[in-house]
Amino acid sequence: MGRPGAATVRLTVAQALVRFLAAQHTERDGVERRLIPGVFGIFGHGNVAGIGQALLQAAATDGDQAWSADPPEGRLPYLMVRNEQGGVHAAAAFARASNRLQTMAVTTSIGPGATNMVTGAALATTNRLPVLLLPADIFATRAPDPVLQQLEDPRSLDISVNDAFKPVSRFWDRINRPEQLIPSALAAMRVLTDPAETGAVTLCLPQDVQAEAFDWPAAFFDHRVWRVARPVPEPAALDRAVAAIRAAQRPLVVAGGGVVYSEAAGALRDFATATGIPVADTHAGKGAINWDHPSAVGGLGATGTAAANSLARQADLVIGVGTRYSDFTTASHTVFADPGVRFVNVNVAAFDAAKLGATSIVADARTTLQALTAALDGHRIDPAYGREIARLAKDWQQVVDECYHRDHRPLPAQTEVFGALNEAMGPDDVVINAAGSMPGDLQCLWRASNPGEYHVEYAYSCMGYEIPAAIGARLARGERGQVVAIVGDGTYQMAPGELATIVAERLKVIIVLLQNHGFASIGALSESVGSQRFGTRYQMHEGGEVPFDLAANAASFGLEVLRCNGIEEFRANYRKAAELTGPVALFIETDLLGPSPPGSAWWDVPVAQVSELDSTRQALAEYETEKAAQRHYL
């Protein structure tokens, strides 16, 4: 198939896909990279003879087998994970650590191997992170129908469990004939490299088609470079934004993940330095401006700092750069309280740029910040506003110091663990976390001096992300710095299996394992909605704590485990862990009940409108008071 007389190569569909993937690259700002430098996976009957055989050929070399984010031309290394969901999380973390310019593929068998990836796909798409998913599928010929693990649907014989990927994928296709792979593979690469449309890309591969031979046009396997552009702002849109900023008395910037992925941190600092406009951050945007910059006011929203939220309540103009405005960022549409507040949104995705009735600039964050700085030459905020920003930021840093050094007894607060880490880790290190109470504490407390230091997944808030994410981050970063994953006992019990992958691959990762015998975040939320922390502690049926030993469990995977009795011993053991060459876990017990950082904003979680419980009725009254401030921004 192709031009008459053109050269062809006879390969199976799986071999052709692997060879194609090994030839794909991205380029931005003159730097070229392998788009997909490797594959995570687990083999079963659906992929072992197809993708598995093809990867064997692509991974077999006479040279060095060590991992590299830039493997030799034509080689596509394979890394075995222990759970397919973990493989997708690792791929998403790799993409995030690579600023979305690289990602990994994940191959699975049919059935449960495939559906195990659905949660990971949702996380990747929600976070706007590219991952390539290659689940095996039923037989296209339907000869052995129903094949082992096939879900039969009486409405259609063309439905499989892989249809579940459709709502959580940015691109989805099923390759029922060999020649379908060519347009589908090219479309998949387009989505993976599109900063506005990216997310999970799913190519479903019927197991018989994987092994089917075809004469492929040789040009399909040429070295191909996907250019990642930096769209510049439309002049008229830029003029409208500049006019709005010049007219504002109390502007506020919200820095989201788009600043990080655009590598626009320097441009953001220049903009803030030139104008004096304060900068708050989201989870994905933390570190986009260094925490000690005069304009930095920390995390915004439901788990934000008192400084950022105070400024947000009085802001007459909010400049969102690369943010999707989650409900935590907006405090469920309550934190921007000025009756006349307006928005200017800079985003490469028109969908996000138009939110909150904003004046929108659909363009790259870096090019737009540079253009705004130039257009606003000589413009600065009022000196009185600048003094207010400095006072609020200073007051909040005193709160951070108190939370980091509470000397809470008999067990430390988890904020003290974060403080010990924040003070011990350097600018080349990265902290990883997701879900529960920890992201909230980290957003309002963590002092990040650059975007690479902070890797917290909170768009999907997925327990079980942290350990596989450490794999992806380590692979993407090479030998640079420490990779520190903070893991609570709830997350640990859900997905500890990738510790075996970390040990098998000899990845230098530090796992900080906190045990408090319950769900701290949901326990506090339960209490706030009048549900009295019901069902949020790990307890035996007859009462008392479940006698699990998570440190011993982690050691059984092959990690070196250092038990920490208190914060001072934790600090000492972290120094030891940093010096070790292999993976290590630091285990420490913390107080389930906190204390937590002081809250300064709201989150909308509905309360039962009818109840026999006094606690619920009281919570309802408080909920109705807070909800009265909720609004649409038009």
Side-chain angles (χ1 to χ4, degrees), residues 179-200:
E179 53 266 51
Q180 292 176 345
L181 179 64
I182 295 175
S184 185
L186 292 170
M189 299 304 105
R190 174 189 61 80
V191 175
L192 288 174
T193 57
D194 187 325
E197 297 297 326
T198 198

Side-chain angles (χ1 to χ4, degrees), residues 504-517:
E505 301 294 336
R506 293 297 294 169
L507 301 177
K508 177 55 194 299
V509 167
I510 299 175
I511 303 294
V512 176
L513 178 54
L514 278 63
Q515 182 166 321
N516 59 20
H517 298 278

Side-chain angles (χ1 to χ4, degrees), residues 587-613:
F587 173 83
I588 186 169
E589 292 201 62
T590 57
D591 191 332
L592 176 64
L593 302 181
S596 301
S600 59
W602 184 65
W603 185 40
D604 190 347
V605 177
V607 179
Q609 294 183 348
V610 178
S611 175
E612 299 176 358
L613 302 176

Side-chain angles (χ1 to χ4, degrees), residues 359-544:
T359 296
S360 61
I361 302 178
V362 181
D364 174 73
R366 192 166 89 183
T367 61
T368 304
L369 285 167
Q370 291 169 340
L372 285 172
T373 303
L376 290 165
D377 185 31
H379 176 76
R380 281 192 65 83
I381 59 171
D382 184 88
Y385 188 36
R387 289 191 294 271
E388 180 184 354
I389 295 164
R391 176 182 58 79
L392 289 169
K394 180 180 178 181
D395 289 348
W396 181 255
Q397 290 309 317
Q398 291 177 349
V399 174
V400 174
D401 288 335
E402 292 168 2
C403 291
Y404 277 0
H405 303 95
R406 289 188 182 278
D407 195 26
H408 186 66
R409 302 296 175 89
L411 294 175
Q414 69 182 22
T415 61
E416 296 177 80
V417 177
F418 301 157
L421 286 172
N422 206 172
E423 292 164 1
M425 293 172 63
D428 285 335
D429 303 332
V430 59
V431 64
I432 297 174
N433 188 245
S437 63
M438 294 184 190
D441 291 358
L442 289 167
Q443 190 200 10
C444 67
L445 299 177
W446 195 263
R447 292 162 168 162
S449 59
N450 67 72
E453 288 184 50
Y454 189 84
H455 184 133
V456 172
E457 190 284 304
Y458 209 54
Y460 205 55
S461 185
C462 187
M463 297 177 70
Y465 174 79
E466 295 93 334
I467 293 174
I471 296 172
R474 180 80 281 168
L475 294 177
R477 293 167 64 89
E479 298 181 357
R480 179 167 58 89
Q482 303 294 341
V483 173
V484 180
I486 307 176
V487 181
D489 48 9
T491 277
Y492 183 88
Q493 291 175 84
M494 285 193 174
E498 298 310 330
L499 290 177
T501 304
I502 289 172
V503 171
E505 301 294 336
R506 293 297 294 169
L507 301 177
K508 177 55 194 299
V509 167
I510 299 175
I511 303 294
V512 176
L513 178 54
L514 278 63
Q515 182 166 321
N516 59 20
H517 298 278
F519 295 127
S521 174
I522 297 302
L525 179 62
S526 171
E527 192 169 51
S528 73
V529 298
S531 296
Q532 303 175 17
R533 293 183 178 261
F534 175 72
T536 62
R537 298 196 67 151
Y538 305 129
Q539 292 183 320
M540 301 293 288
H541 178 72
E542 65 277 8

Side-chain angles (χ1 to χ4, degrees), residues 271-411:
F271 174 84
T273 299
T275 64
I277 297 175
V279 179
D281 54 54
T282 70
H283 274 295
K286 184 164 287 295
I289 190 168
N290 46 299
W291 71 272
D292 53 354
H293 189 282
S295 291
V297 294
L300 176 71
T303 54
T305 73
N309 287 334
S310 176
L311 294 170
R313 288 189 179 91
Q314 300 178 66
D316 58 354
L317 180 71
V318 177
I319 308 163
V321 185
T323 177
R324 65 190 189 96
Y325 287 112
S326 75
D327 66 334
F328 258 63
T329 298
T330 67
S332 299
H333 285 206
T334 62
V335 76
F336 305 121
D338 186 283
V341 65
R342 293 292 180 263
F343 297 82
V344 168
N345 290 342
V346 177
N347 206 296
V348 73
F351 175 75
D352 292 319
K355 288 179 176 175
L356 307 184
T359 296
S360 61
I361 302 178
V362 181
D364 174 73
R366 192 166 89 183
T367 61
T368 304
L369 285 167
Q370 291 169 340
L372 285 172
T373 303
L376 290 165
D377 185 31
H379 176 76
R380 281 192 65 83
I381 59 171
D382 184 88
Y385 188 36
R387 289 191 294 271
E388 180 184 354
I389 295 164
R391 176 182 58 79
L392 289 169
K394 180 180 178 181
D395 289 348
W396 181 255
Q397 290 309 317
Q398 291 177 349
V399 174
V400 174
D401 288 335
E402 292 168 2
C403 291
Y404 277 0
H405 303 95
R406 289 188 182 278
D407 195 26
H408 186 66
R409 302 296 175 89
L411 294 175

